[in-house]
Amino acid sequence: MVRIRVAELGKAFGGRWVLSGVSFAVEAGETLVVLGPSGGGKSTLLRCVAGLLPFEAGWVQVDRRVLRGGERVCRVWGGELGFIFQDFALFPHKRAWENVALAPRVVRRLPAKQARELAFSLLAKVGMAERAEAFPRELSGGERQRVAIARALAMEPSALLGDEITSALDPERKWEVVETLAKLKAEGLTMLLVTHEVALARRLADRVLLLAEGKVVEEGSPGELLDSPRTPELQRFLARAWEPTASGV
Amino acid sequence: MIRRLASILVICLAPTAAAGERAPLRWGADAEGGAPYVFFDPQAPGGIAGFEVDLARALGRELGRPLQFCQYDFKRLMEGLERGDIDLAMNGLEVTEDRARRVRFSRPYYVFRLQWVRRRGDTRCPTLAACLERRGLVGTLENTSASRFLLSLGARTALYDSQVTPFEDLALARLDGVLVDLPIARTLVGSFPQLAAEDPPLPGRGFYAVALRKDDKPLARAVDEALAALVQKGELEAILQRWGLWDQGQEELWPPGLFAPERGRAPETGARVAAFRPVLSLPLLLRAAGVTVILAVASMALAVVVGTGVALGRVFGPRWLAGASLVYVEFFRGVPALLLLYLLYFGLPAAWRGVTGQDGMHISPFLTAVLGLGLVYGAYEAEIYRAALLAVPASQWEAAASLGLSWGQTLRYVVLPQALRTILPPSTTDFVALFKDTSLAGTITVVELAKQYQILSTSGASFAVLVQAGILTALLYLAMALPLGVLARRWERQLAPGG
């Protein structure tokens, strides 16, 4: 069953097309990783899918709802798609559990006690139950990103979208976040992640898609794509990508 | 304000009398004080007119020295004498005990009474007694025997420094009555058909006299002799008749023996009505401080509401609203608050009259001050809020949007709490500035702390007492402003993440 379908999506900034004819689908329970060089349009694509950026052409479907090019994107999905940001984007004035509980409380209108319980259980899921009372600035980068994951899950989304979620972290912290997502994936979570880190794709992806210069260049399983790249774009990307050895991620 | 501007320049105009052989005497008076004393009149010779101008001419002839008119702020006339800027002051100066301690008074040239002015057909305050009983608001000129008289009666009083304004305010029903010296009432009531000053003047009377330097005995003697001569020749009566100021009461000036020049001191009789002791009490200052606090808090509340609306309109509004917000900010930031207060105070009732064709827009001076200060500081607040809103990273909006929060929810739960931290320090500074700017309200008769001190400072108290009161007033301001700083720092700590 398809969770997210993107068809012929096109996005222009000031008359210049940064995405054109992008099509793909994410199945329920699947993790699709979009790889590509910086400036290739990955983050723009993810924001268009998430309804954070309007786009000009094509359409995006999440479950039964469709967002078409040219439409206003103002909060179209209403929490259907959880989003994790490169810079975490936690609410700095709220404690970890309050960050998670906010949307259930004010959007889903859960009673305060129930929202709090939900927040604590989600924090437990990402291994952050003990730091629930901490403010974001008291947490390490990895801890913040795990809180952000819990927050993104708070609205019980159909899928989780991640934008370069490990880029701001040092290697050990990357591991911590990737393993958290691996655990959620094992529980059946659907994910669409964009990254330029090949190691993350290897660890989490069911399928990989290479986006370069605003177009889908190659698509396939991580094994076949990353080990035997067919297109010159992917070969160039992999040759430049820094990939740690087997000793770490 | 005009009087203040005028006081900056002490302009000595051309001699008002034909040049004699000897050097002219510098005569200090405030032409802004108005008719019938001394007022600017382009038609008149020398550009000024008034019964005191005529009197000055006559005196100049008697003295053999012309009197040269020097424009001088009424409130500073005593200082002007002491400083030597002027040789004599003649400007409806009442002989009072406290003034007599600073300067030497001549024999009086006019016996004045206090006149009650009311609105025609007003049944609430037909007399001063009725008005006092019903706690009506009485307008008068500051630092006059009328103001001190009202103060001693404990009346609710609005103090003005221009003599036309209380009449305008009475006509607009901002006041329930006006108590002023008879000459002013007689002269001005003619311009306001809805006002009446027909009742007999209040019992008791005071004297206008020429003020001279304490040590200037020869001139004092000469002026007294000249005045006595004018009385005897009937010239003084003729002048007063000409200005419609002559009445039976003036006959008291006649027996020259009563004010014999050789007595050389202030006439004791002058103290009967006009000798009110300078009131320099802490309770008065404290009450004014209370007014200042309420005024500042109310104005700030309005400024916060206005500022929030304008900032939101500017940052999130459609183009026309953003444009309107920008115009608002530029206008109210650019216009002096003092000017705006005047505009609102005089302009609103005038606009009301223009639109509805009738009088009676009741907006109290206090509310006018709140409105004026609130609008001006709203512009400052708007700029602070705008900067703070823009300082919240875009990813905060995106995070909230991805969670399904509405625009309003995002603002309320995510953006404003963060913006508040950026807002508080500059906003507190603004509040302290507003606090001090409340003193501008004094110009539209709100007796706040600075105005109260100003009133006290012109009441003729001694220098030492004035300095003490000044320090006390400054301390009161500090006592109110300092806790604000402490409070702001505490809020900042509380709102800081993890704090």
Side-chain angles (χ1 to χ4, degrees):
Chain A
M1 191 187 130
V2 175
R3 268 288 156 76
I4 304 173
R5 185 182 295 282
V6 175
E8 297 298 322
L9 190 142
K11 166 76 190 167
F13 280 120
R16 198 178 72 87
W17 290 90
V18 293
L19 293 174
S20 55
V22 176
S23 301
F24 61 85
V26 186
E27 299 282 334
E30 186 190 32
T31 297
L32 175 67
V33 174
V34 178
L35 275 177
S38 303
K42 301 189 302 290
S43 289
T44 304
L45 172 63
L46 202 69
R47 280 181 156 70
C48 288
V49 172
L52 297 174
L53 258 187
F55 51 90
E56 280 72 29
W59 46 268
V60 176
Q61 182 182 2
V62 177
D63 293 329
R64 291 212 179 87
R65 292 163 63 199
V66 176
L67 173 67
R68 289 175 199 286
E71 286 180 358
R72 290 191 57 190
V73 298
C74 199
R75 289 154 195 92
V76 276
W77 306 125
E80 270 299 280
L81 297 176
F83 202 102
I84 317 169
F85 297 82
Q86 180 173 356
D87 66 351
F88 327 124
L90 290 178
F91 306 135
H93 57 295
K94 294 200 174 292
R95 295 171 192 279
W97 74 265
E98 290 171 331
N99 262 275
V100 182
L102 178 67
R105 181 94 183 82
V106 304
V107 181
R108 285 167 63 193
R109 300 192 177 281
L110 291 189
K113 186 161 170 280
Q114 215 174 319
R116 188 184 156 95
E117 279 166 8
L118 173 67
F120 275 82
S121 76
L122 286 170
L123 286 172
K125 216 170 190 174
V126 297
M128 287 296 295
E130 282 170 20
R131 304 302 314 271
E133 296 288 348
F135 282 94
R137 70 153 183 211
E138 298 163 343
L139 300 171
S140 73
E143 288 174 326
R144 284 186 219 183
Q145 198 58 297
R146 283 192 282 157
V147 172
I149 292 169
R151 183 179 70 176
L153 294 172
M155 290 294 286
E156 295 175 358
S158 306
L160 209 57
L161 272 44
D163 180 19
E164 301 279 10
I165 54 175
T166 53
S167 298
L169 304 175
D170 53 39
E172 280 166 57
R173 306 298 181 190
K174 283 186 211 288
W175 173 254
E176 175 183 318
V177 169
V178 168
E179 286 314 305
T180 304
L181 286 180
K183 198 178 125 211
L184 293 169
K185 174 182 158 70
E187 290 173 16
L189 185 70
T190 310
M191 287 190 282
L192 171 60
L193 307 173
V194 310
T195 182
H196 64 271
E197 297 193 51
V198 178
L200 183 133
R202 281 193 196 281
R203 178 73 181 89
L204 291 175
D206 297 310
R207 261 183 324 129
V208 174
L209 186 147
L210 180 77
L211 192 74
E213 290 174 4
K215 291 187 175 65
V216 178
V217 178
E218 234 180 295
E219 191 180 344
S221 69
E224 58 186 52
L225 219 71
L226 299 178
D227 294 332
S228 47
R230 292 188 299 265
T231 58
E233 285 90 349
L234 185 53
Q235 287 163 3
R236 204 159 45 232
F237 172 73
L238 290 174
R240 284 180 193 166
W242 173 84
E243 196 174 1
T245 53
S247 60
V249 175
Chain B
M1 184 179 67
I2 297 165
R3 176 178 282 179
R4 273 195 200 124
L5 288 178
S7 72
I8 294 169
L9 297 169
V10 180
I11 313 160
C12 292
L13 299 176
T16 56
E21 291 163 21
R22 293 152 72 191
L25 287 164
R26 290 163 303 165
W27 157 44
D30 192 346
E32 299 291 346
Y37 304 92
V38 181
F39 56 97
F40 288 120
D41 180 1
Q43 318 272 288
I48 50 168
F51 84 91
E52 284 172 339
V53 176
D54 294 352
L55 183 55
R57 275 198 198 100
L59 271 178
R61 273 195 305 275
E62 286 297 325
L63 291 166
R65 288 177 77 180
L67 265 58
Q68 182 186 28
F69 170 69
C70 295
Q71 167 61 33
Y72 216 91
D73 183 5
F74 180 80
K75 282 180 242 159
R76 309 274 167 251
L77 281 171
M78 301 291 114
E79 284 166 36
L81 277 175
E82 286 166 345
R83 286 163 47 93
D85 289 345
I86 49 179
D87 297 313
L88 52 90
M90 177 171 66
N91 198 191
L93 278 173
E94 304 143 15
V95 179
T96 60
E97 251 180 18
D98 40 272
R99 280 195 186 127
R101 274 199 296 273
R102 289 178 74 176
V103 296
R104 179 183 292 272
F105 274 110
S106 71
R107 58 171 294 137
Y109 57 85
Y110 184 76
V111 181
F112 75 89
R113 292 157 194 269
L114 297 181
Q115 176 67 46
W116 177 247
V117 186
R118 60 186 168 83
R119 256 190 323 280
R120 281 185 199 283
D122 182 25
T123 50
R124 200 170 99 87
C125 291
T127 63
L128 174 62
C131 199
L132 289 174
E133 198 175 305
R134 298 193 173 130
R135 299 296 295 153
L137 185 62
V138 183
T140 191
L141 297 172
E142 63 181 323
N143 192 27
T144 57
S145 61
S147 71
R148 272 160 286 180
F149 181 53
L150 289 169
L151 199 64
S152 72
L153 294 173
R156 281 181 60 222
T157 311
L159 295 175
Y160 294 80
D161 65 358
S162 140
Q163 62 189 38
V164 182
T165 324
F167 286 80
E168 286 173 341
D169 280 359
L170 178 60
L172 289 170
R174 275 176 178 154
L175 296 174
D176 296 305
V178 167
L179 188 71
V180 284
D181 294 6
L182 188 65
I184 302 174
R186 284 223 177 122
T187 308
L188 284 176
V189 86
S191 319
F192 296 88
Q194 60 273 66
L195 302 185
E198 294 142 359
D199 312 302
L202 265 59
R205 84 284 188 247
F207 300 95
Y208 294 157
V210 180
L212 304 122
R213 258 188 302 285
K214 263 250 148 56
D215 56 7
D216 205 350
K217 257 185 206 165
L219 183 59
R221 186 167 304 226
V223 169
D224 277 345
E225 282 167 3
L227 279 170
L230 289 177
V231 170
Q232 263 158 346
K233 287 183 198 167
E235 263 192 73
L236 181 58
E237 182 181 340
I239 291 170
L240 294 176
Q241 291 276 17
R242 196 155 58 238
W243 288 91
L245 296 173
W246 180 262
D247 51 36
Q248 289 287 306
Q250 304 307 322
E251 286 173 4
E252 204 178 330
L253 298 172
W254 179 252
L258 188 60
F259 301 107
E262 48 272 17
R263 285 170 75 177
R265 59 185 175 85
E268 286 156 62
T269 41
R272 262 189 246 153
V273 156
F276 299 103
R277 308 204 64 79
V279 184
L280 204 64
S281 61
L282 185 62
L284 269 182
L285 283 176
L286 281 177
R287 201 172 65 185
V291 173
T292 292
V293 170
I294 297 170
L295 183 58
V297 169
S299 306
M300 194 64 188
L302 178 64
V304 167
V305 172
V306 168
T308 307
V310 170
L312 290 177
R314 181 103 187 266
V315 177
F316 303 113
R319 189 175 295 220
W320 65 267
L321 187 58
S325 305
L326 177 67
V327 169
Y328 178 91
V329 168
E330 293 301 338
F331 179 80
F332 284 100
R333 210 167 43 170
V335 173
L338 182 63
L339 185 66
L340 186 69
L341 288 185
Y342 276 116
L343 264 176
L344 291 174
Y345 192 68
F346 298 114
L348 279 183
W352 175 262
R353 209 169 353 194
V355 172
T356 65
Q358 53 192 354
D359 288 336
M361 180 169 184
H362 295 266
I363 169 165
S364 72
F366 182 85
L367 277 182
T368 309
V370 169
L371 194 63
L373 292 172
L375 288 176
V376 168
Y377 276 83
Y380 296 136
E381 290 302 295
E383 281 302 275
I384 294 174
Y385 300 171
R386 186 176 71 94
L389 285 172
L390 294 177
V392 175
S395 62
Q396 292 286 309
W397 286 93
E398 291 184 339
S402 74
L403 289 167
L405 267 71
S406 70
W407 184 82
Q409 289 169 333
T410 306
L411 209 57
R412 178 170 162 203
Y413 296 107
V414 177
V415 174
L416 287 186
Q418 295 183 57
L420 205 56
R421 260 183 299 149
T422 327
I423 286 168
L424 267 182
S427 256
T428 312
T429 310
D430 257 10
F431 189 38
V432 174
L434 167 61
F435 211 84
K436 290 183 291 183
D437 268 359
T438 52
S439 60
L440 295 174
T443 58
I444 54 170
T445 78
V446 178
V447 181
E448 40 61 60
L449 187 51
K451 180 72 172 182
Q452 184 67 70
Y453 176 67
Q454 196 192 338
I455 293 168
L456 296 177
S457 73
T458 51
S459 67
S462 77
F463 188 69
V465 178
L466 284 181
V467 170
Q468 286 165 13
I471 293 172
L472 189 66
T473 309
L475 284 178
L476 277 173
Y477 269 110
L478 265 181
M480 294 185 284
L482 282 179
L484 281 177
V486 174
L487 205 63
R489 279 191 291 279
R490 182 192 289 178
W491 282 340
E492 246 177 280
R493 271 200 308 277
Q494 279 175 355
L495 287 166

